[in-house]
Structure formats: structure tokens, C-alpha cells
Amino acid sequence: MEFKYDTQCLIEGKNLPSEDVINEYIKTHIKGDSLLAVGDETLIKIHYHTNEPWQVIAYAASLGEAYDIVIENMERQAKGLKG
């Protein structure tokens, strides 16, 4: 497994960047795969597999209020352990 952490969060704010802008920033600055960034100018959901989940959360927090933050270790899950 190349990317270990399933990283998810919601971002709430006003005039948030478009999904395309968020996708491009994450793909350019944070290594990972399976990126999903969907929503509108007030609420965005991010889902990303990466080895650097703190960078995703820091970026999300720079855009607005980040909450419902979930970071799961997919290697542990694959072994039947709590992620």
C-alpha cells in the first residue's frame, strides 16, 4: 500500500475556493491518490489517501473551519485491526 492514511474532513466557510482549485492544490502539493473534493462555496468535503494527513488538514484549516476530521490507518484496517 503506497499511501497509508485515509484522510477526510469537511470545510465550512464563506466564498471557499472551487472544487477544481482545491483539487489542483492538493494534487500539486501533497502526495497521494483517490482524491475527492466536492461541495460549494460554503461547504467542501475532502477525501484523500496520503502519507501526510496533517498537510491535508492544515490546508483545509487555512480555507475555513475544518471539522469532522477522520484519519484512518488503512494498513491496520487491512490487517483486521482498528484503523
Side-chain angles (χ1 to χ4, degrees), residues 1-7 31-33 48-54 71-79 83:
M1 180 174 303
E2 184 177 359
F3 299 107
K4 181 174 177 174
Y5 297 103
D6 178 0
T7 307
K31 291 181 182 180
D33 65 13
Y48 197 45
H49 296 170
T50 182
N51 292 330
E52 303 162 330
W54 55 88
I71 300 171
E72 295 179 328
N73 183 326
M74 295 184 295
E75 286 181 351
R76 288 182 53 84
Q77 289 177 331
K79 297 175 184 172

Side-chain angles (χ1 to χ4, degrees), residues 11-70:
I11 310 165
E12 189 170 9
K14 293 182 179 177
N15 301 313
L16 293 173
S18 72
E19 298 166 350
D20 291 340
V21 168
I22 293 171
N23 272 293
E24 185 62 30
Y25 180 90
I26 292 174
K27 286 180 182 177
T28 302
H29 294 89
I30 307 168
K31 291 181 182 180
D33 65 13
S34 301
L35 176 60
L36 177 65
V38 296
D40 58 30
E41 66 276 353
T42 62
L43 184 66
I44 298 281
K45 177 178 177 82
I46 294 178
H47 173 269
Y48 197 45
H49 296 170
T50 182
N51 292 330
E52 303 162 330
W54 55 88
Q55 290 187 347
V56 176
I57 303 308
Y59 174 62
S62 77
L63 300 176
E65 183 179 356
Y67 67 101
D68 280 355
I69 297 166
V70 177

